[in-house]
Amino acid sequence: MSLFRTELRRLAKRRFARWMTAGGLLVLVLVAAGMFLSNEKIGPEQRAAAERAAAADHQEAVRASEQDRVACERAKAEGTEFWTTDCASINPPPREAFEARWYLPSTFDFRETFGEMLIPLAAILGMVGFVVGASFVGAEWNTGGMMNLLLWRPKRLTVLLTKLGALLTGLLALALPATAAWFGSMWLIANLRGTTAGMTSGTWQSFLLTGLRGIVLALVAATVGFALASLGRHTAMALGGAIAVMVVGQVGLGILLDVAGVRFAEAWLLPTYALAWMTKTITLQDWRSCNATYTGQCEPATLDITWQHSSVLFTVGVVLFLGAALWTMRRRDIT
Amino acid sequence: MRVEAGQVHGFLGPNGSGKTTTLRTLLGLIRPDGGRMAILGHEVPGTLDQVAPQVGAIVESPQFFPHFTARDTLSLLAGAGDLPQQRVDEVLELVGLRDRSGERVKTYSLGMKQRLAVASALLKNPRLLILDEPANGLDPGGIREMRTLMRNLAASGMTVVLSSHILGEIQLICDSVTIISLGRRVAFGPVDEVLAQHSSGAVRVRLEAVTDLPAAATALTRAGVRVTTNEDHLMLAGVDKPATVTRLLAEQGLYVSELAPIAVDLESVFLELTATAPVPGQHRQVDQSVRVDGTAPSAPAGGGWGA
């Protein structure tokens, strides 16, 4: 227990962990501030303004259409070219084509939007977890701290797993209040700059589960970062690996699959699974295919990626990387 | 290699001979591929976790997380070892870092890092202290302090294993030594015995009258002693008991004014045993040292295993 407490203290003392945490929280604050500033509450005044704007645009369109028709007839009489010869077909648009709701300012509908707003929270927590997790053990290897610790605690696996436990506990201590604060701040913004109407216990439950999945995603990212840095005995192993995977493995692979005409190319890309984990399901479409419907329309083939698929992938990833890190910790010499 | 409890034991060998590898293996950092090791009666690495709280060690150059202060570094180690934080102040005082303990380690000189490393090894108040090159980077005052510290620790009952290339220090501090070359032991035992075993038995003789030197040389040569005549003295080799020289010369009416056995120091013994003495015009490579063939130790019988 003393080792666990010490590792928690070490994590809290690490300047890099503090800066990364502060940076992640700052980004969240900026996103929240952006949400506050870019939305406003819809009231009678805003609706009236939207009506006026829609009417004005309709009038403008009617004028433009009349001018077009006149120009068309003139061109017809002079025998010059115009984009159409059927001047009678140039009709003013109907008033219904200009709906007032399109002219309403952006508003934050908590029920409609908050689920999506949990994705940036999970992404930032995941990034902080990955980088801090990698640095926490990578710097220890790199600066000889791990060797010093092993001279005190020669049980290698216990030391590594205790470090991981401390990291995940620290991340939870950040992620839980951060998620609670995100719920609170978005609820407040929705009250001040939007609406919280239509919320039911089912909606709350769904949001809470999404938030929970976001925290799990952050824990997975932290574990993978930790395991990679431990494998390479350097922080750069994890960070370099992540960059390599994103640039070569994702962007490069995406282009290659696209060029090769592979069906559902996104199914090979990691972000798809992260997104599926958060949104529960992602439906990929193959636009090259055509499934004729009884109405004669052409529908693309689809492939559903669900959060269960993602959970299998994450479990395999964690088992693979952490297992390799533990194996090398046990077998390799400490030099 | 055997280290008696309460002794200061020097562990010597040329670069690349395997000193640090041996210490790392003993401390569980490297997996042994054979042989037996024991610390304080416990076989390692099997029971290393039981004995680790009683062993303080620094291995090779001191390495610490550069952005922590010395106090933080020691405090975290004390936490990991379940030791009272008060012990941190004690060791900081002991190694002379008390007033600089709030500074980050990255601002420390090599000598200060070395002091911190020694402090970290002493933190547990260990029964066995293993120090790899503890004087590395220390100023002359620091080296003397380190010597005094080692002696005091040994006097308090602590066993100290010291690896160093400063052989003068080893000779001053250590009770016994082990010398290795290319991973094999070439000498082992109390410092005095090792020196005696490898001294040439040379004796310098001066007579009251320099003119008597040729007669003395003749008498001694006749008695089977190898003699080198110098301008004002004779150098004798292969003399077991210097008293026989006095008696032999007195019988010839030649009177000795000085009879001095030529002492060897640890450095010359080390260079001789490891065959690493510099040769003019040659550039010795790292692994060019004496090779002990086979597994039989070349040191005196009686060596065992364990500390």
Side-chain angles (χ1 to χ4, degrees), chain A residues 14-81:
Chain A
R14 290 288 307 276
R15 227 167 27 140
F16 183 75
R18 290 181 186 175
W19 279 111
M20 279 304 296
T21 304
L25 292 176
L26 181 66
V27 172
L28 289 176
V29 167
L30 289 176
V31 171
M35 287 295 291
F36 183 84
L37 294 174
S38 62
N39 287 291
E40 61 181 273
K41 217 171 176 61
I42 305 292
E45 193 183 318
Q46 283 77 12
R47 286 199 180 86
E51 283 289 350
R52 284 196 298 275
D57 269 11
H58 176 247
Q59 287 304 316
E60 179 63 30
V62 167
R63 266 196 302 277
S65 144
E66 182 59 27
Q67 282 168 3
D68 266 9
R69 197 183 56 77
V70 169
C72 177
E73 282 174 356
R74 191 186 307 129
K76 203 172 175 182
E78 292 170 356
T80 55
E81 275 194 15

Side-chain angles (χ1 to χ4, degrees), chain B residues 190-202 262-266 269:
Chain B
V191 175
D192 294 342
E193 281 183 22
V194 170
L195 292 177
Q197 283 162 13
H198 297 90
S199 68
S200 57
I262 303 299
V264 288
D265 60 8
L266 196 56
V269 171

